Amino acid sequence: MIRGILAAATLAVCALLGGTAQAQQKLRWAHVYETNEPYHTEALWAAEQIKQRTQNRWNIEVFPASALGNEPTINQGLTLGTVDIIYTGAAFAGATYKPISIGNAPYIFRDYGHFAAYRESDLLKELMAGYDKQTGHHSVALTYYGARHLTANRPIMKPEDARGMKLRVPQAPLFLMFTRSIGANATPIAFAEVYLALQQGTVDGQENPLPTIKAKKFHEVQSHIMLSGHITESLLTIVSRSSWARLNDGDKKVFEAVLREASDRASKEIREAELKLPEWFREQGKTVLTPDLAAFRAAALPLHNDASAGAGWTKEQYDRLQAISSRPE
């Protein structure tokens, strides 16, 4: 009798310890964005939701602002096991699987509605599956990052105005397609170092979406914002191969549902912010201009399927993207 009670007690303790061990499983989510940006706040929301919906089995710690490295570093970290989840620009994922970067070609989207339709398309699903097959990692969602705009300390109204300027671009090859189209000198600099580079004149300008320009305070060291909208930027949420393999089927469904919802929430917030920000920047004393968009687009289009300019997709994939009908906002 006593032996049976002890055995039952031992089993109960083991079960309790096992549950505690499960509750202590931790994952590291890395990104390069500021703590006040929707990507970070929604990552925190997702981490809490996943914790609740998996009965505390998974605790996700979010590391913002390049705390675990710049974009190339955290992409490598997925394979090395130093990070478990990342946000990364599609162009950076394209360094491993080129077709996934198609959305980063300059002026490849007609408008926001075209991008929004692409985000829900079979083409994107196939490209994400191609990335997954190539890397073994699991891409879950595509988040709207915003239309990228030029900033400088002088007006840039047509492509010729940018010739020879030192333009900071991210450290991903596809961004060279845009600089090549306007004749600028591409200067890749890590995101965390851009403000200082602008302040010290290491570069003449940079390009980012309006919410990012505000969050990173680039407007403090740049007088002019040109609403060029040359690249419609997006971020992939990716779970590493080893981390995805650790999840049971039920938890995988939870992760996918929550990460996609977080992506939708962040995308909505960014879209709403970028529509309001031109006026906010004017109120800060900045000069906000609309350049000759037709001229910029005409300069970029000939490079869209030029492999020497960074194109890594097939003509069939390109044509399918162009055939997608825009969604109304």
Side-chain angles (χ1 to χ4, degrees):
M1 179 70 172
I2 293 174
R3 188 174 297 167
I5 292 171
L6 289 173
T10 300
L11 286 172
V13 169
C14 288
L16 180 61
L17 290 175
T20 302
Q22 278 192 316
Q24 293 175 347
Q25 294 185 86
K26 294 183 179 179
L27 299 175
R28 293 153 68 92
W29 184 341
H31 65 78
V32 301
Y33 307 103
E34 298 300 318
T35 56
N36 62 341
E37 293 187 83
Y39 322 109
H40 181 67
T41 56
E42 293 304 331
L44 294 177
W45 174 86
E48 183 58 33
Q49 287 294 309
I50 286 171
K51 183 177 180 181
Q52 291 177 17
R53 298 187 203 184
T54 61
Q55 292 75 52
N56 296 322
R57 285 193 299 278
W58 297 99
N59 292 324
I60 300 173
E61 187 174 0
V62 184
F63 295 84
S66 305
L68 296 184
N70 60 20
E71 290 243 36
T73 300
I74 63 175
N75 272 272
Q76 293 165 4
L78 288 173
T79 300
L80 296 174
T82 54
V83 298
D84 303 288
I85 306 172
I86 65 170
Y87 283 133
T88 188
F92 287 93
T96 304
Y97 179 68
K98 288 184 177 181
I100 197 74
S101 66
I102 189 171
N104 269 68
Y107 298 105
I108 199 163
F109 293 109
R110 296 182 296 275
D111 48 35
Y112 174 76
H114 188 193
F115 167 80
Y118 165 71
R119 186 170 173 259
E120 302 297 329
S121 70
D122 289 338
L123 173 60
L124 177 62
K125 291 183 180 118
E126 290 170 23
L127 293 172
M128 291 170 73
Y131 171 88
D132 293 0
K133 183 177 180 180
Q134 176 84 15
T135 64
H137 306 314
H138 186 60
S139 52
V140 182
L142 189 73
T143 301
Y144 183 57
Y145 184 65
R148 298 183 79 99
H149 303 294
L150 288 164
T151 72
N153 287 321
R154 58 182 174 86
I156 301 171
M157 300 302 291
K158 52 189 183 301
E160 305 89 84
D161 296 338
R163 280 185 189 148
M165 77 176 289
K166 291 179 291 183
L167 182 65
R168 180 272 167 180
V169 293
Q171 299 162 294
L174 189 56
F175 283 93
L176 303 181
M177 183 181 289
F178 173 64
T179 55
R180 177 172 162 181
S181 75
I182 61 174
N185 291 327
T187 309
I189 294 174
F191 204 27
E193 300 166 13
V194 177
Y195 184 98
L196 190 60
L198 293 169
Q199 187 178 51
Q200 295 181 341
T202 306
V203 291
D204 302 315
Q206 65 86 47
E207 46 81 62
N208 260 296
L210 297 180
T212 304
I213 293 169
K214 181 182 179 183
K216 287 289 190 177
K217 304 184 188 302
F218 296 151
H219 62 285
E220 293 181 351
V221 287
Q222 299 270 267
S223 60
H224 288 62
I225 298 173
M226 278 60 65
L227 300 177
S228 52
H230 50 274
I231 292 173
T232 304
E233 181 70 283
S234 53
L235 306 179
L236 284 160
T237 307
I238 302 173
V239 183
S240 75
R241 173 177 52 200
S242 58
S243 300
W244 191 248
R246 291 165 61 193
L247 305 179
N248 63 40
D249 289 345
D251 288 348
K252 285 177 179 177
K253 290 178 181 177
V254 169
F255 271 66
E256 287 195 325
V258 171
L259 293 177
R260 286 173 182 161
E261 187 176 349
S263 173
D264 290 342
R265 288 162 57 106
S267 296
K268 182 174 184 291
E269 190 171 341
I270 288 297
R271 180 57 178 164
E272 290 173 351
E274 73 177 358
L275 293 174
K276 299 174 183 175
L277 279 171
E279 186 55 36
W280 184 87
F281 282 115
R282 290 187 180 100
E283 291 170 356
Q284 310 312 304
K286 301 293 114 176
T287 301
V288 181
L289 303 169
T290 300
D292 185 346
L293 297 179
F296 275 92
R297 182 181 292 274
L301 291 183
L303 301 179
H304 277 182
N305 290 295
D306 185 343
S308 70
W313 41 86
T314 67
K315 184 65 165 53
E316 185 263 345
Q317 289 167 333
Y318 177 82
D319 290 342
R320 284 177 65 192
L321 191 154
Q322 294 306 310
I324 295 172
S325 299
S326 296
R327 257 178 44 182
E329 284 199 59

